Amino acid sequence: MFGASHVPDAMKLLLKFNLVFLAVFVAGLVVSAVVARDLLRRDAQEEVLDRARLLMEKASVVSVYTSEQIAPLLKAQMEHEFLPQSVPAFSSMEVLNALRSKYPDYGYKPAMLNPTNPRDRAVEWEADVIEQFRREPERAEFIGQRDTPSGRSLYVARPIRITNPACLQCHSTAEAAPATLVAKYGPNNGFGWTLNEPIGVQLVSVPMAAPMARADNALVTVVGLLTAVFVAIGAALNLLLWKLVIQPVRRLSALSDRVSLGELDAPEFVVRSRDEIGVLAGSFSRMRKSLVHAMKLLDQ
């Protein structure tokens, strides 16, 4: 009767072990997945931010090039006709807009509250960014995210300030501006600017969908690998537990039942290992020998 409970008891031990292992596995997997997700998404966002800043620097380089090398060449023609190609903001926008033929989700805009060129007029959310720089004059950069029809987008904004007093010759009043400029854009666009005040922002927008999708795919791979590793470890531990603990304990328990029921001629339990199971087997053998010796003394 005692032997009938050995297999269920052994299975209970294995079940308890697996329940504990499963709890540890689930907790470890959840924590690892959360940490990995944060790290991967943070790296993806940094990748997007680096792209945005690279585009911003490209726009700045084009603006400087236009101001220093293109504008002087067009000075004579500007006396007869205003050429927007001489304006740094126009040139940088044209160059980066050319990229949109291949990368339509990328964007660049010199957004202003009162621009000379109406296409540069700030929309509502862009005006909010400009006001942010006006409230914090010391701020050099603003980073944000917004939803677009093509998905989540990250944008980088930098203030546009008039730091050269010579620029006010064209943007203080319509009367002081070149006649060719007024003739092209009218007397109400791009005037009333003041020195060192944020009049607009350079805005670069970069889509986040592709980098975030790569981060999510990498997360699935990481979680899959962790799961495979945990399953392999669990299988190995189950095999070791079964071979090194449960099977010897079951044999020893069955043998102890037979001896306790008077089968003193039951075979010896031989274990050559020196671990805890080996020590237990040795103790049982000594106890059995003592029991046999005691029974012989009683029979005399």
Side-chain angles (χ1 to χ4, degrees), residues 93-217:
M93 189 169 182
E94 288 295 305
V95 170
L96 292 186
N97 275 346
L99 291 175
R100 300 189 67 181
S101 60
K102 292 186 177 181
Y103 305 98
D105 294 333
Y106 287 70
Y108 171 78
K109 181 181 178 181
M112 301 184 187
L113 296 175
N114 182 24
T116 300
N117 192 329
R119 75 174 183 178
D120 297 336
R121 190 172 303 279
V123 296
E124 184 177 355
W125 74 270
E126 294 168 342
D128 291 339
V129 177
I130 297 173
E131 289 301 322
Q132 185 75 24
F133 284 108
R134 288 191 168 189
R135 288 194 298 268
E136 303 177 45
E138 72 285 352
R139 188 164 195 159
E141 185 177 79
F142 184 83
I143 300 170
Q145 297 181 21
R146 57 186 296 267
D147 292 319
T148 66
S150 59
R152 195 76 172 165
S153 178
L154 180 143
Y155 65 86
V156 176
R158 293 179 181 174
I160 298 175
R161 292 185 174 92
I162 298 298
T163 57
N164 185 355
C167 294
L168 296 180
Q169 295 176 1
C170 297
H171 297 288
S172 57
T173 62
E175 292 74 16
T180 54
L181 175 65
V182 177
K184 187 171 184 65
Y185 293 111
N188 300 316
N189 296 319
F191 300 109
W193 296 1
T194 56
L195 201 63
N196 296 320
E197 182 182 4
I199 58 173
V201 290
Q202 286 180 295
L203 276 169
V204 171
S205 299
V206 179
M208 300 183 67
M212 288 302 176
R214 287 196 297 270
D216 291 340
N217 291 336

Side-chain angles (χ1 to χ4, degrees), residues 14 17-18 21-22 25 226-242:
L14 197 60
F17 171 79
N18 280 294
F21 181 80
L22 182 62
F25 161 67
L226 287 176
T227 301
V229 170
F230 269 106
V231 169
I233 293 174
L237 290 177
N238 271 271
L239 180 62
L240 289 173
L241 183 64
W242 181 262

Side-chain angles (χ1 to χ4, degrees), residues 27-40:
L29 187 64
V30 169
V31 172
S32 300
V34 171
V35 173
R37 180 179 181 274
D38 289 344
L39 290 176
L40 289 170

